[in-house]
Amino acid sequence: MITDMKARYRVVSDEKLAALKAREHATFLQRTPRSRATFEKAHEMLLNGVPMPWMGDWGTAHPIFVQKASGNRIIDIDGNEYLDFCLGDTGAMFGHSPEPTANAVADQVRNGITTMLPTESALVAGAELSRRFGLPYWQVAMTATEANRYVIRISRALTRRPKVLVMNECYHGSLDESLPHIGPDGSLELRSDYDMNPGLPKDQLTRVVEFNDLAALERELAHRDVACVLAEPVMTNCGMVLPQPGYLEGLRELCTRYGSILVIDETHTFSTGPGGYTAAYGLKPDFITLGKSIAGGIPVAVYGFTREMAARINATFGRKSVSDPMGIGGTLSGNAFAVRAMAATLTEVATEEAFTRMIAGQERLSDGLDAALRQHDIPWSVTRCGARCELQFMPTLPVTGSEAKSQFDWELIYYTHLYLSNRGILITPFHNMMLVPPMASDADIDRLVSVWNDCMAEFVED
Ligand SMILES: Cc1ncc(COP(=O)(O)O)c(C=O)c1O
C-alpha cells in the first residue's frame, strides 16, 4: 500500500520520481500484456485479482503471472525472464524446485500423501534438525505461523501465564498475539500502521518492547505474566535490525530470571547457516520455530525444544494425550509428502556446501551494493544476515524496529522494484530484501548490482 511516508534520505525529488515512475510504468505495461489481461479476468473470481493478498502488493500495476520457476529464474506468461532474488520471500531460498526435493515428492505423491501415521522420513528430518540446531526434540507443523501458534499455546500451558512478549515491528506470521505494536503514546496499538487491521482484537495478551532494549524487556518481564518471548535473533521484517553485542545473551538471561520461555524464530535467519543463527552464534533458546524453506517451499514447518521443555510438556499433558488436550495437531501436519520433502531438502539441498555458496554470493552482492552507494554518495546502507541482505534508506544501521520502519518509503520501494523488474530482476516486495540462492552465478549477482547502480545514478544525476 503506497502512503506518503517519505524517507529522510530520499535523494530524489518528488517531481523526478513521478516522471521516472511514469516512464517505468509504461514500459511495464508494454512488457506484460498477457499478465495484465489475466489479472483483469482474475477479478471475476479472486478478490482483487489474486489468490492471496500479498501477491497483489508488488508495487507494479498488476502482478506478473508465473509460467515457470526453476533454480533462480522465473519466466512469466508473457515470456519475460527474471533473475529471482525474492525466492518466494524465503520459501524457495535454495532455488525453485530443487531436484532432490522434486524427485522425493514425485515418488511420495504416488505412495501416500497423508495417512495420520508417521513415516521413516520423519526420523531423517528430526536427526538432521537436531544435529544442526542442537535441540533434541522436534515436532512438525504446516507453516511457520502455525509452529509459532503451537509454541505459544504450549508456553501458556507450561507457565500458566497468559501473555506473549514480542519486539516492536516484528512479524511472526498472522498471529493475533504478534501483531500489536507500540503506539505513539506508548500504548499497544493495532498493527494497522494505517488502520488496516480491524480484524485484530485489541487484547491485553501481548507485551511489546523495542529490540535491543534490555531495560524495557526486564521491565515488562518483571510483571511475571509473560509465558514466552517470541523473537527473531535478527529482525528481518521491518527492514533488518542486527542484535547489539550482548543483547541476545541478555535476552536469554532475563527470560530465565523471570520464568518466561524463550522462543527463537529462525524462519528467516536460517539464512545465516546450516543451523541458523542459533548454531552460528551459540544461542540457547527453549524452543526454535522454523518454516518456509526447509522443504524447498512445500508447506512444512517445525518446532524444536530442549529436554527440559519435553519433560515439562509430558509432565503437564501426560505422554499420551487423549483427544489432544493441548489443542495441537493439524490434520495434515507431519504428512508423508511434506515430511519426505523436508528430509530430502535438509539432507540434499540445504547442505553446508549450498550455504557456503549462498553466503559468498551474498557477500559479493552486498559489497557491490555498498560500493554503488558510495560511488553515488547516497546515504543508504546495506545490512547482511548470511545469504540475505536488506538495503535501507538510512545511513546507519537501525537499532530498533521503529527506527528501521521510520525509513520505510513505499514510493521509493515500489519504484525501485518496478525499475528492477523491467530489467528482469525480482526482489522481495514490501521492502528491499535480496536473497542469494546457491545457483546464482557471479554474473547474476553483478547484474543485480549493476541495475541498482543505474537506478541510483539516475536519481542523483542533474
Ligand atoms: C520470521 C517469520 N516467522 C514466521 C513467519 C510466518 O511464515 P508463514 O507465513 O509461512 O506461516 C514469517 C513470514 O513471513 C516470518 O517472517
Side-chain angles (χ1 to χ4, degrees), residues 54 89 142-146 148 171-174 232 236-237 265-269 289 291-292 388:
W54 299 357
D89 189 15
M142 292 300 288
T143 64
T145 302
E146 200 184 51
N148 283 328
Y171 187 73
H172 295 282
S174 51
E232 289 187 279
T236 64
N237 284 299
D265 183 340
E266 288 271 16
T267 299
H268 280 179
T269 48
T289 56
K292 291 200 184 187
R388 66 199 292 132

Side-chain angles (χ1 to χ4, degrees), residues 447-460:
R447 168 109 188 103
L448 174 55
V449 172
S450 145
V451 173
W452 262 106
N453 194 27
D454 294 347
C455 177
M456 294 187 298
E458 227 174 17
F459 286 159
V460 294

Side-chain angles (χ1 to χ4, degrees), residues 108-221:
Q108 188 64 46
V109 81
R110 301 202 178 282
N111 287 292
I113 295 170
T114 190
T115 58
M116 275 264 273
L117 287 167
T119 53
E120 288 178 320
S121 298
L123 281 72
V124 176
E128 192 58 24
L129 289 164
S130 295
R131 184 181 74 75
R132 290 169 178 231
F133 289 90
L135 289 179
Y137 292 112
W138 294 85
Q139 290 284 277
V140 180
M142 292 300 288
T143 64
T145 302
E146 200 184 51
N148 283 328
R149 185 183 305 128
Y150 292 156
V151 172
I152 288 173
R153 182 162 295 160
I154 292 171
S155 300
R156 284 183 169 137
L158 299 191
T159 60
R160 306 279 162 166
R161 293 176 175 186
K163 296 200 181 187
V164 175
L165 185 144
V166 294
M167 303 301 158
N168 201 29
E169 300 295 353
C170 69
Y171 187 73
H172 295 282
S174 51
L175 289 168
D176 287 354
E177 284 91 341
S178 69
L179 294 174
H181 68 174
I182 300 172
D185 59 354
S187 64
L188 287 194
E189 265 196 349
L190 298 183
R191 169 138 198 171
S192 62
D193 300 352
Y194 321 103
D195 265 338
M196 277 172 54
N197 218 335
L200 181 62
K202 205 170 182 177
D203 61 37
Q204 294 303 312
L205 292 176
T206 307
R207 292 190 179 277
V208 189
V209 297
E210 293 288 3
F211 194 67
N212 279 323
D213 186 346
L214 287 174
L217 179 68
E218 174 152 26
R219 185 192 67 223
E220 296 301 314
L221 291 182

Side-chain angles (χ1 to χ4, degrees), residues 273-289:
Y277 204 89
T278 296
Y281 291 88
L283 307 189
K284 299 274 175 240
D286 298 305
F287 283 84
I288 282 175
T289 56

